[in-house]
Amino acid sequence: MRLLSLLVAGLLAGCAGNARMGGPAGAVAGTVTYRERMALPPDAELRVQLFDMSRQDRATPVADTTVQPAGRQAPLPFVLRYDPNEIDPKHVYAVRATIGSESHPIFTTTALVKVITWDHPDRVDLVLTRATDARAADAAAPTPAPHLP
C-alpha cells in the first residue's frame, strides 16, 4: 500500500509540470533525415515549424523551433513545443522542416506531414529532399488543405 501511495505521489508530481513553462505544453517530436550521403556544414541549423492548415487562403504558423546539430549527422532528433491552448481540435495541423546553412536551405520537406488532431500522430519521422536554391524551399512551404480529413 505504501508503494502504491509513493507511485501515485510521484505520478502527480510528474503531471504537475514546470511552473516556469506558463501552463501545460504539448509537443511534436521526431527525427529529421535526408537520403543524400553528405555531411552537414558546421553551422547548419534545423528548423521545424508547426502550421494550422485549416484556412483556405494561407497556412498560419503556430510554433517553431531551431536545433543546432553541432556536428551531429542525420537522423537529427527534435522536439517542437506548442501551447495546447492554441490548438483547435477541429483544425488540421502540419509540420515542415528545413536544414539550412548561412541562411540558405540545404534540405527541406516537400510534403505536408499532418500531426496532432484528427488522429494524426505527435511523433513523426521527416525525410527531407535536397533544396537546389531558395525557390525550392519556398515551393515546399505549406499550402492550405483543400478540405478537412
Side-chain angles (χ1 to χ4, degrees), residues 8 17-18 25 33 40 46 49 68 71-73 75 88 91 94 116:
V8 170
N18 185 339
T33 191
L40 295 174
L46 166 63
Q49 298 170 287
Q68 305 293 330
R72 290 177 294 162
Q73 301 300 318
D88 184 333
H91 287 197
I116 305 172

Side-chain angles (χ1 to χ4, degrees), residues 1 14 22 35 55 80 82-83 88-90 110 119 123 125 134 141:
M1 186 65 178
R35 296 186 193 280
R55 297 224 15 201
L80 173 60
Y82 61 87
D83 181 353
D88 184 333
K90 298 175 192 158
T110 57
D119 292 328
R123 167 113 179 81
D125 296 314

Side-chain angles (χ1 to χ4, degrees), residues 52-55 86-93 116-118 147-149:
D52 182 341
M53 306 301 296
S54 300
R55 297 224 15 201
E86 301 271 328
I87 303 300
D88 184 333
K90 298 175 192 158
H91 287 197
V92 176
Y93 296 87
I116 305 172
T117 57
W118 295 88
H147 57 81
L148 295 177

